[in-house]
Amino acid sequence: MDIGGEDTEHFKAIQETSDGGFIIVGYVESMGDDQRDLYIVKTDSMGNLEWSQVYGDAKDDDAYDVVQTGDGGYLVAGGTKSY
């Protein structure tokens, strides 16, 4: 599985999704700067990347937990030092 960039990804929570895949959250340090950016990864049941999303600004941002909502979306708990 090829997730992230050239440096470091730290995953802190993983949940199975209603389609049998997985939603994974944490932070990434390899998206172009030395700061942590909140990182969300969605895989299929075999661990193949379906999509990923990075959120962050000038300082550290991190995700700690994730749940799937009743409408199929995701609720992510995290923190930021950017604002």
Side-chain angles (χ1 to χ4, degrees):
M1 175 172 29
D2 186 20
I3 294 177
E6 297 176 3
D7 293 322
T8 303
E9 294 82 29
H10 292 269
F11 295 110
K12 296 189 174 178
I14 183 170
Q15 295 290 323
E16 188 171 4
T17 56
S18 61
D19 64 359
F22 297 93
I23 189 79
I24 310 162
V25 298
Y27 68 86
V28 63
E29 294 178 330
S30 56
M31 296 298 185
D33 58 28
D34 291 331
Q35 302 301 321
R36 295 177 178 180
D37 292 320
L38 186 147
Y39 194 33
I40 305 171
V41 174
K42 172 68 174 79
T43 71
D44 64 16
S45 63
M46 299 300 293
N48 298 307
L49 180 66
E50 290 185 347
W51 57 264
S52 66
Q53 184 67 44
V54 175
Y55 296 95
D57 206 351
K59 296 185 180 177
D60 289 344
D61 307 286
D62 196 351
Y64 308 122
D65 206 357
V66 61
V67 295
Q68 188 169 25
T69 59
D71 64 359
Y74 303 99
L75 180 64
V76 177
T80 183
K81 293 182 181 176
S82 292
Y83 303 101

